[in-house]
Amino acid sequence: TKALNQEQFREVPENHRNDKWNLYWKACGFTLADYRNVKTWQILNHFPKGNTITRKDSLARCLKRMRMVYGTIYNFFPVSFNLPIDYTKFLSYFSKIQSKKGKQVWICKPSDLSRGRGIFLFDNISDLLYDGPTVIQRYIDDP
């Protein structure tokens, strides 16, 4: 707020808003109507569908799609599974990799938490515990 005030911006209460504004800052996302009605000089602090890349499960899904379409240029991210949807695929892959390469370390990340909360490493399937949407990836120990 201090930086915006120094740049001659001023806060306008929600109920006094009209078309005479440059920046609309909200903690949550905007409605489709907000995006449609914005003027060329106006800026919203969220992108439409921004959660597509800010949630771990959505990002993994998008990257997998990009890999299917564009091939090896998208090999920069590790093998990923969205649980619970991909649970049987993960079990199959886990078993196959363990039998070929021995124990592998995996990382389990809750899709909707931030700042490292709920993240853990495992190398034994019996250590995999989750209670909501989760992304499982092969752990890269020295990226």
Side-chain angles (χ1 to χ4, degrees):
T1 306
K2 187 176 179 181
L4 291 173
N5 287 336
Q6 289 174 345
E7 295 298 321
Q8 306 299 315
F9 282 86
R10 63 184 172 81
E11 190 171 347
V12 178
E14 182 81 28
N15 58 348
H16 288 90
R17 211 181 71 175
N18 55 30
D19 283 348
K20 297 176 181 160
W21 55 270
N22 294 348
L23 173 64
Y24 191 171
W25 196 276
K26 281 176 58 171
C28 58
F30 293 93
T31 66
L32 286 177
D34 289 326
Y35 290 112
R36 284 190 195 111
N37 295 329
V38 71
K39 307 293 189 245
T40 56
W41 68 87
Q42 296 172 327
I43 299 170
L44 306 176
N45 73 314
H46 290 279
F47 295 107
K49 304 286 185 185
N51 64 345
T52 303
I53 60 171
T54 58
R55 276 186 55 109
K56 295 172 200 74
D57 54 347
S58 297
L59 178 60
R61 194 172 15 266
C62 287
L63 289 172
K64 283 190 231 179
R65 285 184 192 143
M66 297 300 280
R67 184 183 279 161
M68 288 180 356
V69 172
Y70 297 106
T72 58
I73 194 168
Y74 277 87
N75 281 349
F76 62 86
F77 72 100
V79 174
S80 305
F81 298 90
N82 288 347
L83 274 57
I85 295 168
D86 294 336
Y87 185 73
T88 55
K89 288 179 189 174
F90 171 66
L91 283 180
S92 173
Y93 189 85
F94 182 90
S95 299
K96 185 173 78 174
I97 291 296
Q98 297 292 78
S99 65
K100 285 183 179 179
K101 297 185 177 184
K103 280 200 173 210
Q104 299 288 306
V105 178
W106 296 83
I107 187 166
C108 179
K109 307 177 209 177
S111 295
D112 55 354
L113 294 181
S114 60
R115 301 177 308 209
R117 292 176 294 162
I119 294 176
F120 64 93
L121 302 177
F122 67 97
D123 61 6
N124 188 322
I125 199 70
S126 64
D127 294 331
L128 173 59
L129 302 171
Y130 64 97
D131 61 357
T134 301
V135 173
I136 304 288
Q137 295 177 311
R138 284 196 53 194
Y139 181 70
I140 301 173
D141 56 341
D142 191 16

